[in-house]
Amino acid sequence: MAEQTIEHAQPLTVLAEDEAIFRDSVRQFAEAQVRPLVREMDEHAKIPRGLVDKLFDLGVMAIEIPEAYGGAGARFFHSVLAVEEFSRVDPSIGVLVDVQNTLVVNAFMRWGSDDLKRRYLPKLASSALGAYALSEAGSGSDAFALATRAREDGDAYVISGRKLWITNGNEADVFIVFATVNPEAGYRGITAFVVERGFPGFTVGKKEDKLGIRASSTCELILENCRVPKANLLGDVGKGYKTAIETLNEGRIGIGAQMIGLAAGALEHTIRYTKERKQFGKAIAEFQAVQHQIARAAVDVEAARLTVYNAARLRDAGRPFLTEAAICKIFSSEVAERVSSLAVNLFGGNGFVKEYPVEKLFRDAKIGQIYEGTSNLQLQTIAKQILG
């Protein structure tokens, strides 16, 4: 019995056949279709709609959506693989795919009524980009200090307020918006709604001019007496806090995937460059000091990948993963910053100019310690779980 258990145990980083085929297809697409556009997208702070359409055609925008609704019917782990592979090439595309799958589709799959799934999942599988609108000016780490208000009015709710830092805001067609139906009830008043871009009273406001992941849009949303049908409630009234917390726990694994992809990409650039760059008559990769720094970076990337894959496989197995998600998010984001910084150092002066790819990855890495729960919040979550 013991021998059989060992024989069938699956190492975390050994992919099943379907996972390997999927990973390879995403990598080929990223190299062929995304890499040639990376610098242009960063400079213009925009993802071409034609590329978004190709992502839908590839099937990576509907990874967990059942085939009956036009999706791939795959697992959460496939989403992690997709985000990792895109982020090797461009973390902006990584986060576009991440938000669509680990936040928006995930929330519809877990909390949406049959009617909501029927109306929205086919759109999200074929052409509609989604966004997840929780944050506000006074509600960042204190996620439930929401000022956005939803007032019941007949067969609808009328929502007024402003959301900030909303990823995919400029391109999205479908928004999951969190508002409170009763401010005096605290977090128990928070409710999730599905809002379409075309709803009267809903507009996309200022687009932020950012340090990194510049091609990924981050926007303000403005709701002024926006009327949302009661049929567009996502989950139960007053239970939006549960939707937000549990969806973000899974979303943090997606950010972990983005960060390990970024770090792996930076390391690949560094290895290639140090083998080509010569100083004192030999490639700088031949110097022991350089070798040790690269080896340390490789250790970091492998360790971070293990934490991300572990959290993702726990989630797919239906096992608790709250602590593991926090661990993978904080650790992988720190690794991404260290490895991309090392890449800039080892590229020397070339690491500091836009002609070479690593300065962009260094800029992209910083957000990993901020969005979908800051590093301090991840530490607080871990401490609470281990200290009881």
Side-chain angles (χ1 to χ4, degrees):
M1 179 63 73
E3 290 181 2
Q4 185 179 14
T5 302
I6 294 172
E7 180 183 347
H8 291 286
Q10 179 79 346
L12 283 175
T13 57
V14 174
L15 303 183
E17 183 179 5
D18 67 303
E19 294 168 346
I21 292 171
F22 177 76
R23 189 269 317 272
D24 292 346
S25 70
V26 174
R27 178 172 294 190
Q28 290 167 11
F29 178 94
E31 292 291 345
Q33 302 293 332
V34 178
R35 193 174 293 282
L37 301 175
V38 170
R39 187 173 177 186
E40 177 185 352
M41 291 192 296
D42 184 63
E43 289 179 352
H44 294 285
K46 186 176 179 63
I47 299 172
R49 181 64 209 194
L51 179 56
V52 176
D53 291 340
K54 290 179 180 178
L55 292 170
F56 276 103
D57 292 341
L58 185 64
V60 295
M61 304 301 279
I63 293 171
E64 285 191 271
I65 292 178
E67 293 180 10
Y69 294 115
R75 300 183 298 281
F76 182 82
F77 190 77
H78 290 90
S79 298
V80 164
L81 291 174
V83 173
E84 178 184 3
E85 287 303 319
F86 281 120
S87 299
R88 278 181 62 252
V89 175
D90 189 350
S92 289
I93 302 300
V95 77
L96 178 94
V97 173
D98 178 32
V99 169
Q100 179 84 354
N101 286 283
T102 71
L103 292 183
V104 177
V105 167
N106 183 21
F108 271 97
M109 292 290 294
R110 294 191 60 191
W111 307 102
S113 65
D114 289 341
D115 174 61
L116 274 181
K117 291 176 182 177
R118 178 186 56 78
R119 286 191 285 129
Y120 286 102
L121 288 183
K123 296 178 183 178
L124 290 166
S126 60
S127 62
L129 198 63
Y132 190 86
L134 177 62
S135 297
E136 299 178 8
S139 173
S141 291
D142 185 6
F144 297 143
L146 298 183
T148 298
R149 179 74 191 273
R151 173 175 53 84
E152 191 173 1
D153 183 24
D155 61 353
Y157 281 87
V158 178
I159 304 178
S160 294
R162 289 175 180 247
K163 295 293 181 178
L164 289 182
W165 309 300
I166 307 306
T167 302
N168 294 352
N170 211 41
E171 303 86 2
D173 307 288
V174 177
F175 299 79
I176 296 175
V177 175
F178 292 84
T180 181
V181 299
N182 182 5
E184 296 178 0
Y187 71 89
R188 287 188 170 86
I190 295 169
T191 305
F193 301 87
V194 177
V195 179
E196 296 183 24
R197 176 179 285 269
F199 282 3
F202 176 85
T203 56
V204 177
K206 176 188 175 185
K207 178 184 174 185
E208 302 294 347
D209 188 9
K210 299 178 299 183
L211 170 73
I213 58 167
R214 290 177 52 78
S216 167
S217 68
T218 301
C219 299
E220 175 189 36
L221 307 181
I222 303 166
L223 298 100
E224 297 177 307
N225 294 321
C226 178
R227 193 173 181 87
V228 180
K230 285 185 175 178
N232 277 32
L233 279 168
L234 183 65
D236 297 328
V237 175
K239 295 296 179 65
Y241 71 93
K242 185 176 179 66
T243 302
I245 289 175
E246 296 192 10
T247 306
L248 284 170
N249 287 339
E250 292 162 323
R252 285 163 186 159
I253 305 174
I255 299 303
Q258 182 194 21
M259 292 294 112
I260 61 174
L262 188 161
L267 182 58
E268 289 167 9
H269 287 304
T270 303
I271 291 169
R272 188 161 49 245
Y273 183 82
T274 56
K275 287 181 176 180
E276 296 170 355
R277 172 70 168 165
K278 291 187 177 180
Q279 291 286 282
F280 304 102
K282 59 183 179 180
I284 63 173
E286 295 181 34
F287 292 103
Q288 187 182 65
V290 172
Q291 293 174 353
H292 285 185
Q293 290 179 83
I294 291 174
R296 177 64 66 183
V299 170
D300 270 352
V301 172
E302 179 67 8
R305 181 176 287 115
L306 287 168
T307 66
V308 173
Y309 283 16
N310 181 52
R313 293 201 186 279
L314 284 171
R315 189 271 189 187
D316 275 342
R319 303 285 295 276
F321 62 89
L322 172 63
T323 303
E324 289 78 8
I327 288 171
C328 85
K329 202 271 186 182
I330 187 172
F331 184 63
S332 62
S333 62
E334 291 174 349
V335 166
E337 185 176 68
R338 286 199 298 268
V339 174
S340 60
S341 179
L342 174 66
V344 172
N345 290 348
L346 291 181
F347 268 69
N350 286 334
F352 208 67
V353 297
K354 292 183 181 295
E355 182 181 352
Y356 291 81
V358 292
E359 65 84 26
K360 176 187 178 300
L361 293 175
F362 180 57
R363 288 187 285 109
D364 290 347
K366 191 61 207 175
I367 191 60
Q369 297 179 55
I370 301 171
Y371 63 3
E372 292 198 35
T374 64
S375 292
N376 280 343
L377 279 179
Q378 305 315 309
L379 289 172
Q380 187 173 336
T381 296
I382 296 165
K384 183 177 181 180
Q385 294 300 308
I386 63 178
L387 294 174

